[in-house]
Amino acid sequence: MRRPILEANNLCVAFNGVKAADGASIAIHDGEFLAIIGPNGSGKTTLLNICTGYIRPVSGSVLLDGNDITRLSPRAIARRGVARAFQIPQLFSAQRVIDNMMLALAATDGLWSVVRPLETAKRREEAMALLGLVGLDGDADRISSTLPEGHRKLLDIAVALALKPRLLLLDEPTSGVSALERFPLMEALMSALRQRRITALFVEHDMDVVARYASRVLVWNAGNIMAEGRPDEVFGNAQVRERVVGVA
Amino acid sequence: MRIILTAAAVLTLAVLPVAAPWLQFVLTLAIAKGFAALGVAVLLRAGLISIGHAMFFAASAYGVAFLAHAGINDLGLLLVLSVLVAALTGAIAGAFLVRYRAIFFAMLNLAVSMVFYALCAKLYGVTGGTDGMPVPIPAVFGIIFAEPAFKSVLFYLSLALMVLVGLAVQRYLDSPLGHALSAVHTNEIRLEYLGIPVWAVLLIAYVISAALAGLGGAISAFAIGRVVPDFAFWTASGHLVLIAVLGGIGGVPGAFIGALFLELLHSAAVTVTDAWNLIVGMALIIVIMFMPQGIYGLFARKEASSP
C-alpha cells in the first residue's frame, strides 16, 4: 500500500447548522488522481478549504506526510508543496498573464531578490512552457482580466502548476472551459501531472471527465462519504446514480 | 525614448537655478517632497493610502537636528543616519499598521502621525516645541561652505539622489517583491496560496516608503535650516498624497513631476493672489478630472502610442 500524502481524519465543520463535514475521513496516496463528486452545497469545496488551511475544522485533523497541518495558514501549507486551483479563478487581474506565471515561479525560486527583475529569460521560458501546456502561450502579454472566463480558469491551473507542487487540489478544473477545450485540457493536465509526479485531488461535476481520468472516486454527500472506489464501481452503485450522478 | 526624456528633464532642472537663482530653493524643496510622495506612491501600488507619512518626513528632519546637536557635522553621514531613523520608525509603526487595509490603514497612519506631531509640539524641553530646532550647515566631505554655496551643493546632491534613488526604486518595483506588492491590491488570497507572506511584502514596502519620506525630510531640514512640528502635521501628509496622485503612481517619475508641478504652481500663484489655494485647487480639479493616471500617465500614454 502506498503511503498517504494527505489524510483528513474525523473532520467536522458546519455553517449556520448545515454540516459541510460531519466526521468524514479521507486519504490520498502518492500518484493518485482522486475525484470528489457530490451535489452542490454538499461540502466539497469546504473540504479543499480545510485541507489548505483556509477554514479550520471544529474537530478533526489534517495530516500532510504524517505531519499535522490542521492549524497552519494557506501560506505555510503552500510552502509544504500543496497548490490549489480555484473554482472561481484567483488571479492578479491587473497584471499580464506572463507576470501571474512568473510571480508564481518566483515564489518558489527567489521572491526576496530586490535586485533581479521578476522577468528573467529563464523564468519567462519556464512560464511560457507552462502556458503552452494549457494553450495560453499566445496570450502571455495580455492583461489577465481581459481573458475569457475559460482561459482565466486555465491560467489559474497553470499558476498552481508553476508552484511545482507535490499535491495539487483542483476545484472544478473544467467548469467554464468550453466543451471543445475540456478533454484537451484534461489530457494536458494529466500529462503534466504524470511527468512531474504530482498527486492530485479534484472536485468535479462533469462525470465524463471523472469516469475517464480519475483513478479513484469519492462521493461526498451532506458532509459525509457516501461511496468510494474505482470510477466503474462508484458509477455502478445504484444509490450514487440516483442521488448524485442524476443531479450532478 | 524614455531615457532621453528623463535626461533632458534632469538637465533642464540642473540649469534652471543658473537662469533663475530663486528657483533653487523651490526646486530643492520640490525634490524633497518628491521623495516623500514617492514613498506614498509605493504604498499606493498595494492600494494602501497613508495619511501619515509626514511623520517619517519629520522624524528624519528631527533626526538631522538632534544628530547635528550631538556633534555629527557631515552632510553624508547626517543624511544616512537620519534616513535610518525614518526607516526604523517605519519598521516599528509598520509592524503594526500593515495588518490593516483600506480606511483603517489610512486612519491609523493619521492617528500615529498626529501622536508624533503632538509629541514634537509639546515636548518643549526636548524638541523646542512649536519653535522647532535649528539645523546648522554641515560640512561636505570635510569642507565647510558658506550658506549660498551649501544650498547649491544640496540642490545638486538632491538632483543626483533623485536619479539614483529613483532608479533603485524602479528596480525594486520591477523585482518579484515589487510585483508582489502590486498583487496585494488585486488578490491577497492568491498571494497567500503562492506561499508569499503578504505581511512581510507590505512591511518591506512600508520601511522603504518611510525611508524615502525620511530622505525628503532630511533634505528639507537642510534646505530650510529649521525643523518644526508642522512637518508632521496631517495636512503635510495629505499634501504628499496629493502630490503622488497628481503626478501619477504609474512610474517613479510621477512623484517628482507632481511635486515640481505643485511647488512651481504654488510659487507662481502666490505672486498673483493671496487666494493662491484657489488656483492650486482649480489646477488639481482639472488634473484629477482629465488625467486620472496623473501627469506622468499622460507622458506614459504618449510614449505607448508612439510608433
Side-chain angles (χ1 to χ4, degrees):
Chain A
M1 182 72 178
R2 288 164 297 171
R3 67 186 168 86
I5 186 168
L6 184 90
E7 286 175 89
N9 301 314
N10 303 314
L11 295 178
C12 286
V13 67
F15 301 105
N16 297 323
V18 179
K19 288 174 178 172
D22 187 16
S25 298
I26 66 158
I28 179 163
H29 299 85
D30 243 349
E32 269 195 308
F33 194 50
L34 173 65
I36 299 183
I37 61 170
N40 281 328
S42 62
K44 302 183 299 296
T45 298
T46 300
L47 175 67
L48 297 195
N49 284 338
I50 293 171
C51 292
T52 54
Y54 194 69
I55 290 176
R56 287 184 181 165
V58 176
S59 63
S61 62
V62 181
L63 307 178
L64 182 69
D65 292 327
N67 300 311
D68 194 343
I69 58 164
T70 320
R71 304 276 153 193
L72 295 186
S73 65
R75 171 168 50 88
I77 293 172
R79 296 201 80 80
R80 281 165 171 75
V82 180
R84 179 175 180 180
F86 293 80
Q87 186 177 359
I88 299 165
Q90 296 293 328
L91 304 171
F92 306 123
S93 51
Q95 300 196 17
R96 293 179 308 165
V97 167
I98 191 86
D99 291 334
N100 274 264
M101 294 300 300
M102 289 191 296
L103 192 51
L105 289 167
T108 61
D109 72 357
L111 175 73
W112 303 107
S113 163
V114 290
V115 182
R116 294 183 68 185
L118 175 70
E119 185 162 348
T120 59
K122 181 175 171 282
R123 213 175 265 150
R124 189 178 174 95
E125 190 185 332
E126 209 174 331
M128 287 303 287
L130 280 167
L131 287 174
L133 193 75
V134 294
L136 288 180
D137 43 339
D139 292 318
D141 290 313
R142 277 179 74 171
I143 299 295
S144 55
S145 63
T146 65
L147 291 176
E149 184 61 18
H151 286 193
R152 286 168 57 79
K153 190 93 188 174
L154 298 178
L155 177 57
D156 195 48
I157 293 170
V159 165
L161 284 172
L163 291 173
K164 305 177 183 83
R166 290 190 305 122
L167 175 63
L168 178 60
L169 309 181
L170 299 143
D171 200 349
E172 299 191 29
T174 63
S175 74
V177 178
S178 74
L180 279 176
E181 290 170 318
R182 195 163 295 169
F183 285 101
L185 163 70
M186 287 306 296
E187 288 295 335
L189 182 60
M190 291 305 293
S191 157
L193 295 178
R194 280 190 209 107
Q195 272 175 27
R196 292 153 205 251
R197 294 169 192 271
I198 299 170
T199 304
L201 181 157
F202 74 119
V203 169
E204 186 56 72
H205 279 286
D206 187 324
M207 294 305 140
D208 291 335
V209 167
V210 173
R212 191 154 159 184
Y213 296 104
S215 56
R216 186 158 61 98
V217 181
L218 196 147
V219 185
W220 195 270
N221 190 28
N224 252 313
I225 297 163
M226 181 200 274
E228 187 179 355
R230 289 199 318 270
D232 55 327
E233 289 170 354
V234 168
F235 290 133
N237 181 323
Q239 197 185 9
V240 173
R241 291 185 72 83
E242 181 193 338
R243 292 178 60 180
V244 179
V245 179
V247 295
Chain B
M1 187 63 182
R2 183 174 291 186
I3 294 170
I4 295 169
L5 267 178
T6 308
V10 172
L11 208 64
T12 308
L13 283 176
V15 297
L16 267 177
V18 179
W22 64 273
L23 268 177
Q24 186 174 279
F25 178 70
V26 175
L27 294 178
T28 307
L29 272 190
I31 292 170
K33 287 181 183 177
F35 279 120
L38 181 57
V40 172
V42 164
L43 290 178
L44 278 171
R45 285 188 165 244
L48 297 176
I49 301 173
S50 168
I51 320 177
H53 256 50
M55 175 172 77
F56 306 115
F57 188 87
S60 178
Y62 273 100
V64 168
F66 280 118
L67 290 166
H69 283 254
I72 296 172
N73 188 35
D74 180 77
L75 176 65
L77 194 57
L78 282 168
L79 270 178
V80 170
L81 290 176
S82 58
V83 169
L84 284 176
V85 167
L88 185 65
T89 314
I92 294 166
F96 158 68
L97 293 169
V98 298
R99 295 174 189 276
Y100 296 89
R101 300 288 179 274
I103 192 73
F104 305 104
F105 179 82
M107 288 296 116
L108 280 170
N109 270 278
L110 173 65
V112 173
S113 76
M114 287 309 288
V115 170
F116 186 84
Y117 165 79
L119 288 173
C120 293
K122 300 296 179 189
L123 295 176
Y124 188 85
V126 183
T127 63
T130 49
D131 292 342
M133 295 174 75
V135 176
I137 293 172
V140 184
F141 295 118
I143 304 165
I144 296 173
F145 289 97
E147 189 174 342
F150 172 74
K151 294 291 165 72
S152 292
V153 169
L154 183 66
F155 169 69
Y156 287 106
L157 176 67
S158 305
L159 200 59
L161 283 174
M162 181 180 82
V163 176
L164 294 174
V165 174
L167 286 171
V169 171
Q170 190 59 60
R171 193 90 183 181
Y172 158 66
L173 295 176
D174 289 339
S175 75
L177 264 182
H179 279 265
L181 179 68
S182 302
V184 172
H185 191 26
T186 47
N187 202 330
E188 268 191 59
I189 291 174
R190 177 42 100 185
L191 272 181
E192 283 286 331
Y193 274 93
L194 292 183
I196 296 175
V198 173
W199 181 79
V201 169
L202 286 177
L203 183 60
I204 290 168
Y206 198 89
V207 172
I208 289 172
S209 83
L212 286 167
L215 180 56
I219 292 169
S220 291
F222 289 124
I224 295 166
R226 175 166 286 277
V227 294
V228 289
D230 278 358
F231 277 23
F233 198 55
W234 71 270
T235 51
S237 294
H239 192 69
L240 297 178
V241 176
L242 206 65
I243 291 172
V245 173
L246 190 67
I249 62 164
V252 168
F256 295 102
I257 292 170
L260 287 164
F261 176 80
L262 208 59
E263 285 300 313
L264 291 173
L265 180 69
H266 174 241
S267 300
V270 290
T271 62
V272 179
T273 170
D274 284 343
W276 56 268
N277 265 329
L278 188 72
I279 295 175
V280 172
M282 292 291 284
L284 285 177
I285 290 169
I286 291 167
V287 169
I288 290 166
M289 284 190 73
F290 297 104
M291 293 180 241
Q293 303 298 315
I295 302 170
Y296 178 69
L298 203 66
F299 290 109
R301 204 163 53 227
K302 275 199 170 166
E303 193 183 49
S305 62
S306 64

